[in-house]
Amino acid sequence: MTPLEVIRRRRPGFQPQVAVVLGSGLGGLSDQMVDAMAIPYGDLKGFPRPDVSGHQGQLVLAKVGQTPVALLEGRAHLYETGRADAMKVAVRTLAALGCEALVLTNAAGGLDNDMEPGSIMLMTDHLNFTGQSPLFGEPSDDRFVDLVDAYDPALRQQLLDHGKAMGVPLHQGVYAWFAGPQFETVAEVRAAGILGANAVGMSTVPEVILARHANMRVAGLSIITNKATGMSNLTLSHEQTKKHAALAMDKVQQLLLAFLKDYGS
Ligand code: HPA
C-alpha cells in the first residue's frame, strides 16, 4: 500500500489543508490539538526513519479550530544518509492529500547580533551551500523549479501579523543550508554572512524545493538556538540545540496554533 492509501484508510475523508514539519525539539505541538491521530512513519513506506534524538517520527492528522492539518513530527536530514531527497515521499504525499501549504520549522544558528538564542526568524529566502538538490534525477522539465518568492509573501505576512498580535517579535532573514553534521567553521560563518545569510542550519531547504515543485505554498520558521560559530564563546552541541529549542518552543507553538486556526477561516 502507498502511504497515501494507508492514510486514507486510517482516516477516511480527512483532507488536511496545511502541513507543518517540526524540527529538533519541537515535537510537542500535537498535544495541543484536538481530534489528533498519529501514524508512525514506519507504517508509511518511503517516509524517513529519523535517527536524530529530539525527533519523533510520526505523521499526526488533527484539527486546529476548523483547520484540518497534517504534522510531520521528525524529518530526515542530508547528513543522515547523504541523500537530499529523503523527504520526497513525505512531501509529495502531503501534496497528494490536498495540503495547499507547508510550514517548515528548524533549529538554526543566528548570525545577526540581535538574534539571541531562543528568538525566532521568519525565513525570507535561502542559500543552498550543499551543492545538493532533492530533484536530482527528476525526469521531466518541471524539475526546473522557479524559486522566486519560494517563501510565500502572503503567508509570511500572516505569520508576522500573528507574531505582532501575540507579542512574539519575529526576525526576518536568509537561511543558509549547510550539509552538516559538523557545525560550521568560523570561516564558513563569516563567508555565509558576507554572502547574505542571517542564519545557518542543516535542514529545511530540500523540503522547500520539493514543496515548490509540488506547487505548495511555503513558509519557514527558524528557532535560533545559538549564535553561529565564532559569534560567541559557547561550544556548539546538539544538547544545546535541544535546550534552546525547548526555550522557544512555547512561543513557536502558540504562533503556529494561531496561524493554523486562522488559516482555514
Ligand atoms: N549551525 C547549523 N545548524 C544548527 C545550528 C548551527 O549553529 N544551530 C542549530 N542548528
Side-chain angles (χ1 to χ4, degrees):
M1 247 195 287
T2 65
L4 191 60
E5 287 164 345
V6 172
I7 296 164
R8 292 220 164 112
R9 198 166 282 202
R10 299 232 189 138
R11 192 111 204 219
F14 188 86
Q15 188 182 317
Q17 235 182 328
V18 44
V20 184
V21 176
L22 296 167
S24 292
L26 290 170
L29 188 64
S30 58
D31 300 346
Q32 311 211 25
M33 297 187 175
V34 292
D35 198 11
M37 196 198 78
I39 305 175
Y41 286 173
D43 295 351
L44 301 168
K45 194 163 179 285
F47 274 54
R49 299 291 120 83
D51 66 356
V52 186
S53 61
H55 291 269
Q56 293 203 23
Q58 58 180 12
L59 169 69
V60 177
L61 302 169
K63 278 193 155 182
V64 183
Q66 296 302 309
T67 316
V69 302
L71 291 178
L72 289 178
E73 297 190 337
R75 60 150 59 88
H77 304 78
L78 176 61
Y79 59 73
E80 291 169 66
T81 57
R83 297 187 58 126
D85 67 353
M87 292 293 281
K88 184 156 76 181
V89 170
V91 172
R92 290 183 180 170
T93 300
L94 295 172
L97 263 178
C99 294
E100 307 155 6
L102 181 62
V103 181
L104 298 149
T105 64
N106 59 54
L111 272 70
D112 294 359
N113 282 326
D114 63 346
M115 281 184 190
E116 293 299 327
S119 60
I120 305 170
M121 186 189 87
L122 180 66
M123 294 167 72
T124 57
D125 205 345
H126 71 236
L127 288 160
N128 179 352
F129 285 146
T130 69
Q132 300 292 313
S133 169
L135 300 179
F136 284 165
E138 201 57 33
S140 73
D141 278 356
D142 65 9
R143 65 190 156 188
F144 300 111
V145 177
D146 184 291
L147 291 179
V148 174
D149 283 340
Y151 300 83
D152 190 274
L155 294 183
R156 272 154 55 191
Q157 191 58 52
Q158 286 170 32
L159 284 159
L160 288 171
D161 291 346
H162 282 295
K164 198 165 183 196
M166 299 167 64
V168 176
L170 300 183
H171 296 271
Q172 297 190 68
V174 174
Y175 174 95
W177 179 32
F178 282 85
Q182 71 286 348
F183 286 105
E184 298 73 28
T185 64
V186 174
E188 284 165 348
V189 167
R190 193 187 311 127
I194 290 169
L195 294 174
N198 304 99
V200 288
M202 306 176 194
S203 69
T204 304
V205 170
E207 293 113 279
V208 172
I209 295 168
L210 288 164
R212 291 306 298 141
H213 182 252
N215 265 319
M216 281 193 265
R217 300 166 75 195
V218 168
L221 291 169
S222 293
I223 315 302
I224 305 300
T225 54
N226 56 276
K227 290 189 177 273
T229 313
M231 314 235 0
S232 87
N233 298 326
L234 283 180
T235 304
L236 301 184
S237 69
H238 191 55
E239 281 314 305
Q240 199 209 289
T241 297
K242 284 191 291 181
K243 191 171 128 212
H244 282 109
L247 289 178
M249 172 131 108
D250 195 48
K251 279 190 296 192
V252 179
Q253 287 190 353
Q254 295 318 313
L255 178 64
L256 284 172
L257 287 170
F259 168 81
L260 293 169
K261 186 163 178 233
D262 204 37
Y263 190 90
S265 56

